[in-house]
Amino acid sequence: MLERFYPDHEQASAYEIDYETLYKKGFRGIIYDIDNTLVPHGAPADERAVALFERLRGIGYQTLLLSNNKEPRVKSFSDSVGSRYIFKAGKPARGGYLKAMEKMGTTPENTLFVGDQLFTDVWGAKKAGIETYLTKPIHPKEEIQIVLKRYLERIVLFFYHRRAQS
């Protein structure tokens, strides 16, 4: 039952994923969460985020920021990194992910999702058939509802890691 929340991959940071190798494997689109995946919650795009999106464009990727946040937050970040976006995405519902792929011209088979939360980011992407990367949160300061979800995530990840070791 918990398997529906299991990520396909774990990575310490979105900035450490080997995007070049994934492109060679046929991936063409990447959907990102913003807060605590690319920058601390509520922070503007920094030099590292801008450089990552420039690198991804250079490789040939389509990118899209998928956030449950309001448009001013998402648009500001999007303008800084030069990516498409969807705000108030309704994650973990499939609709935002499907709309993201439509905007990028990609399919579940050639799209990746990168995010820091199991119950919104990973679960939603998996429901849409997208390969997932779970990253560690960038910063420990989070909204209370996310802090509560982190306790449940630890339980799911305990069983995920136990299964991976067997």
Side-chain angles (χ1 to χ4, degrees):
M1 177 176 149
L2 294 178
E3 290 84 7
R4 75 180 85 179
F5 303 112
Y6 291 174
D8 296 305
H9 310 278
E10 281 185 291
Q11 194 71 41
S13 166
Y15 299 99
E16 296 177 13
I17 296 171
D18 184 352
Y19 295 107
E20 289 79 5
T21 297
L22 291 167
Y23 191 85
K24 288 176 187 169
K25 289 182 178 180
F27 290 98
R28 295 298 180 260
I30 307 172
I31 303 169
Y32 284 95
D33 175 53
I34 299 171
D35 289 320
N36 250 348
T37 298
L38 295 168
V39 293
H41 187 81
D46 57 18
E47 289 178 14
R48 187 165 70 155
V50 171
L52 173 63
F53 281 80
E54 285 177 7
R55 176 178 153 212
L56 294 171
R57 279 190 295 278
I59 295 168
Y61 281 108
Q62 297 294 313
T63 61
L64 188 133
L65 302 166
L66 188 69
S67 176
N68 285 345
N69 219 317
K70 296 177 182 168
E71 188 170 24
R73 161 72 177 136
V74 183
K75 183 179 184 328
S76 170
F77 195 94
S78 170
D79 289 347
S80 296
V81 299
S83 180
R84 294 181 187 96
Y85 67 93
I86 296 173
F87 66 99
K88 288 190 179 180
K91 295 184 290 185
R94 291 176 61 230
Y97 298 87
L98 299 175
K99 187 175 177 184
M101 289 185 286
E102 182 182 318
K103 283 185 166 207
M104 293 189 299
T106 61
T107 66
E109 295 77 26
N110 67 5
T111 303
L112 299 167
F113 182 86
V114 181
D116 70 300
Q117 292 187 54
L118 285 179
F119 301 127
T120 50
D121 298 333
V122 170
W123 187 30
K126 288 183 75 77
K127 288 193 294 185
I130 300 169
E131 194 160 327
T132 60
Y133 275 82
L134 176 68
T135 62
K136 293 188 182 333
I138 287 181
H139 194 275
K141 183 178 183 263
E142 297 183 293
E143 296 173 338
I144 188 65
Q145 71 270 19
I146 296 172
V147 171
L148 297 173
K149 284 193 273 183
R150 294 288 185 204
Y151 289 110
L152 297 172
E153 284 184 354
R154 284 189 202 118
I155 295 167
V156 173
L157 288 172
F158 169 81
F159 288 105
Y160 168 73
H161 292 134
R162 191 167 86 176
R163 185 186 80 169
Q165 292 173 349
S166 58

